[in-house]
Amino acid sequence: MRIGIAFDIDGVLIRGKRVLPQAIRAIRRVQDARVPFVLLTNGGGTTEAAKAKELSRVLDSEIRASQMVLAHTPMAPLAANYSNVNSDAVLILGKSACKDAALAYGFKYPVLAEEILVTCPEIWPFRAPSKNCQPISVDRKIGAILSFHDSQDWGRDAQIICDLIRTGGDLRRVVEPHHRDRTRHLHQHHTPPEQLPLYFSAGDFVWSNNLPLTRFAQGAFRYALETVYSRLTHGKPLKYTMYGKPHKVTYDYAQNAIDAHAVSLSLSNEVPIMPCKYFGIGDNPESDIAGANNNGWTSILVKTGVYESGPHEAKYLVADVEEAVDVILSQPHD
């Protein structure tokens, strides 16, 4: 079959901490049919290897790290700009395991927001810093801000991001009191001519778990940050680059990963059967369905996550991921 599949995770294979039973059957059927696939999610916050190990266990099927396209996976090539001993540091937003992912991508000096808070508790003096983080040197400039995963503390992260943008990434001018006179000119509307590069790995506003109402996602934090920054700078827009679904850079990366999986499925004496049609299965019309449609894929919307009812632009609307696989495998694809 000359097809490839990208499965969303939350709301498609898993809901909250519960694996959907249809997901186990669906993945096994796709593997038995030797159809190349990836797991494409706007979540993350860990390494691809760790997530593959976790999902292999709960789905009772082997998932390779190369099949994991987390929200921040397509950001890995950015490490080339921050990979040597003379490089700037980068601020990584998300869980502590995001630092492990950044190191695996090749970033030489990734820094967590909590490490900055430990270094200078006054930067967000409304809670005690974590005892699991160590202070960092403030000698190295922060050259970029990368949101790998959902903010773990909106107030802390918004404050640190705004501070770094206003000082051009100079941590000393943020945390050391004797720099106060030098920073007095940094009134709300004074920012460097070139804004510090800022990247977000996903734009989802909400996601679903086992609770009846949706939860705020990384996109909600971005909206809040834009509002705060605009107010702080007298109306300046926050500049940033988006990754994740529905953006083309992520679908290009996922398509290459599916093609690589197709090659790996071939026997040594076989010519690889490369996909010519790609299916995206998801539960979020704004990210999963829009992304598949906008990038020339065939979209399939399931009703086990964010979407429950109402208008949509999916090619197919199905009850769950197993029915989605029924749709894919029942069509002629040769």
Side-chain angles (χ1 to χ4, degrees):
M1 289 185 177
R2 299 188 63 190
I3 61 172
I5 306 173
F7 293 91
D8 186 23
I9 299 176
D10 293 313
V12 174
L13 303 178
I14 295 173
R15 178 138 189 169
K17 296 184 178 180
R18 182 173 65 91
V19 178
L20 299 176
Q22 307 95 316
I24 296 174
R25 296 192 295 268
I27 294 296
R28 285 178 179 169
R29 289 177 60 194
V30 169
Q31 289 180 326
D32 289 344
R34 296 180 66 194
V35 173
F37 70 94
V38 297
L39 305 186
L40 174 62
T41 175
N42 273 355
T46 187
T47 64
E48 289 74 14
K51 192 67 175 177
K53 182 178 180 180
E54 172 195 338
L55 290 173
S56 294
R57 177 179 58 81
V58 299
L59 293 172
D60 196 24
S61 295
E62 181 187 3
I63 306 294
R64 305 172 187 175
S66 58
Q67 290 175 268
M68 295 302 314
V69 184
L70 307 178
H72 44 78
T73 307
M75 301 170 83
L78 294 173
N81 299 319
Y82 306 96
S83 59
N84 63 60
V85 293
N86 297 317
S87 295
D88 290 338
V90 293
L91 174 64
I92 303 293
L93 300 181
K95 297 185 290 188
S96 59
C98 290
K99 185 173 182 176
D100 297 329
L103 289 168
Y105 297 156
F107 289 96
K108 186 70 174 178
Y109 303 110
V111 172
L112 296 171
E114 192 67 13
E115 292 175 322
I116 294 178
L117 184 62
V118 169
T119 305
C120 179
E122 292 86 356
I123 205 167
W124 186 248
F126 305 108
R127 67 167 176 83
S130 170
K131 295 181 180 179
N132 297 323
C133 289
Q134 298 298 317
I136 61 169
S137 169
V138 296
D139 292 336
R140 191 174 299 276
K141 177 186 173 183
I142 300 293
I145 302 166
L146 297 92
S147 181
F148 269 23
H149 196 239
D150 299 288
S151 168
Q152 306 296 287
D153 186 329
W154 283 28
R156 176 202 64 189
D157 291 350
Q159 181 72 70
I160 290 175
I161 291 170
C162 290
D163 287 349
L164 289 173
I165 289 176
R166 285 187 290 167
T167 60
D170 188 346
L171 266 178
R172 283 195 175 278
R173 294 167 67 191
V174 173
V175 307
E176 294 187 350
H178 67 265
H179 285 285
R180 183 172 298 166
D181 290 339
R182 291 177 54 199
T183 57
R184 285 196 176 168
H185 70 285
L186 296 176
H187 298 299
Q188 272 75 334
H189 59 285
H190 286 145
T191 55
E194 292 294 326
Q195 185 196 294
L196 202 64
L198 173 60
Y199 303 90
F200 288 98
S201 66
D204 288 1
F205 189 77
V206 294
W207 64 288
S208 65
N209 61 9
N210 58 319
L211 295 179
L213 301 179
T214 53
R215 305 293 92 196
F216 288 137
Q218 189 179 154
F221 170 72
R222 193 190 78 241
Y223 278 115
L225 177 64
E226 287 184 272
T227 301
V228 169
Y229 183 80
S230 177
R231 175 66 181 83
L232 187 66
T233 59
H234 293 191
K236 281 191 175 182
L238 184 68
K239 299 177 182 178
Y240 52 83
T241 300
M242 289 298 307
Y243 283 74
K245 297 177 288 187
H247 299 284
K248 184 177 186 300
V249 63
T250 289
Y251 279 84
D252 287 347
Y253 193 100
Q255 185 167 320
N256 288 335
I258 291 172
D259 291 349
H261 189 213
V263 173
S264 72
L265 290 175
S266 303
L267 300 177
S268 58
N269 60 341
E270 289 182 333
V271 176
I273 301 174
M274 303 305 295
C276 63
K277 188 173 185 179
Y278 300 84
F279 290 83
I281 305 173
D283 69 312
N284 191 324
E286 293 183 2
S287 56
D288 301 313
I289 303 310
N293 290 344
N294 293 343
N295 289 280
W297 292 26
T298 300
S299 57
I300 304 180
L301 179 62
V302 301
K303 296 192 284 187
T304 50
V306 169
Y307 177 84
E308 294 179 348
S309 63
H312 65 86
E313 296 185 1
K315 176 70 172 178
Y316 300 99
L317 175 64
V318 297
D320 54 49
V321 67
E322 190 169 26
E323 188 176 333
V325 169
D326 286 339
V327 169
I328 295 171
L329 297 184
S330 65
Q331 297 183 35
H333 303 295
D334 293 330

